Amino acid sequence: MSRLAAGVVLVTAHDPDDGPHGQDAGMTATAFLSVSLDPPLVLVSLRNGSRMDDLLDEQPLWAVSVLAESQRQIAGRFAMKGRISDRLLFEDIVYARGEVSGAPLVGGALATLECRTEQRVLAGDHTLVIGRVLGVGLPSPEGVPLTYFRGRYRRLG
């Protein structure tokens, strides 16, 4: 599957139950796709038992930022499983809080989506989370998408 090029997104959620003001969580994903236009549905694949899988099992609201090629460092930071505390992940990253989800939406992303979980499907060692799109933003519609191919972030062309 490393020979299948994929777009790179950042999936985020806000955990209101974690501490006095809650806490944000995020993860880099390449297994993300549009499922339906009517109603607008998307799907993300989460590793079972991951922080995001556990959070989205409890919190139905989440967001997706479609990363631009210039955001390779953000993708790398959120892909470092277990190496960085959730409290430090968003440090120095420009983001706005989603009006619907409360989740971080990364500034400079090619597009942002705010979603509510519609269905969770267990599939081997992953869970497929299908979300209804509740809001869409185009913070930077003119960028080049970040892609992932053969184990590395790549530039198109």
Side-chain angles (χ1 to χ4, degrees):
M1 294 309 296
S2 70
R3 303 261 173 160
L4 177 64
V8 182
V9 302
L10 184 65
V11 179
T12 57
H14 181 72
D15 184 356
D17 296 330
D18 191 356
H21 303 289
Q23 183 173 324
D24 296 320
M27 63 163 267
T28 302
T30 56
F32 175 78
L33 58 103
S34 171
V35 174
S36 168
L37 294 176
D38 188 18
L41 300 173
V42 294
L43 177 148
V44 64
S45 179
L46 306 176
R47 184 177 45 82
N48 293 339
S50 67
R51 165 86 166 108
M52 190 60 67
D53 179 43
D54 292 344
L55 178 55
L56 295 190
D57 193 31
E58 300 293 324
Q59 162 61 284
L61 298 174
W62 45 284
V64 174
S65 297
V66 179
L67 298 180
E69 197 279 329
S70 62
Q71 296 175 310
R72 182 182 302 217
Q73 289 181 323
I74 293 172
R77 177 187 293 190
F78 283 85
M80 293 194 306
K81 179 180 106 185
R83 295 188 188 135
I84 298 178
S85 155
D86 282 344
R87 297 195 190 289
L88 299 176
L89 279 174
F90 292 91
E91 195 170 277
D92 303 328
I93 293 177
V94 175
Y95 68 89
R97 201 156 293 286
E99 290 181 27
V100 177
S101 66
L105 303 170
V106 177
L110 298 180
T112 59
L113 308 168
E114 291 190 82
C115 305
R116 181 186 67 236
T117 299
E118 291 277 312
Q119 186 176 1
R120 293 172 55 89
V121 179
L122 185 60
D125 60 359
H126 280 65
T127 298
L128 307 178
V129 179
I130 299 171
R132 180 179 294 258
V133 178
L134 304 174
V136 176
L138 298 174
S140 183
E142 295 300 320
V144 175
L146 179 59
T147 58
Y148 194 75
F149 178 69
R150 296 187 72 184
R152 293 179 32 207
Y153 297 112
R154 303 286 181 145
R155 186 176 206 116
L156 285 179

